[in-house]
Amino acid sequence: CRAARFERLTMLDVSRARFGSAGAKALAAWPGAAHLQWLDVSGNNLGAAGAKALIASPHLTNLKYLAADRRGAIALKQHFKKAMR
């Protein structure tokens, strides 16, 4: 996602992509995530570490929609209340 075409990405669907805690940590650290308004991480086992990384991310402040389930979803729902579906 370092390519210029991803810098203003507003929607990202990584549902059921075997996106675990390492993927969540990478997404949380990615500056391009600052433009995301819609994010689907459902169908993945983020775990507590992945959920904590997404919650602590300084870049995921513009989310209007967030879909998550399985491990880590409860913590995400508590933090991203308005965006959770």
Side-chain angles (χ1 to χ4, degrees):
C1 291
R2 292 184 182 159
R5 64 180 168 253
F6 292 115
E7 288 179 6
R8 294 223 173 250
L9 192 67
T10 59
M11 297 177 70
L12 182 62
D13 184 348
V14 290
S15 60
R16 295 166 196 70
R18 298 181 186 181
F19 192 84
S21 61
K25 289 176 184 178
L27 175 62
W30 176 49
H35 298 285
L36 289 179
Q37 295 178 20
W38 193 98
L39 176 62
D40 189 342
V41 293
S42 61
N44 296 292
N45 288 317
L46 303 177
K52 285 179 185 178
L54 293 176
I55 289 166
S57 174
H59 308 297
L60 294 173
T61 57
N62 292 316
L63 288 181
K64 295 179 179 154
Y65 174 90
L66 175 62
D69 58 12
R70 298 189 183 181
R71 294 183 58 218
I74 293 173
L76 290 172
K77 286 179 183 180
Q78 290 174 344
H79 182 77
F80 294 104
K81 292 176 189 171
K82 292 181 181 179
M84 281 301 293
R85 303 286 184 244

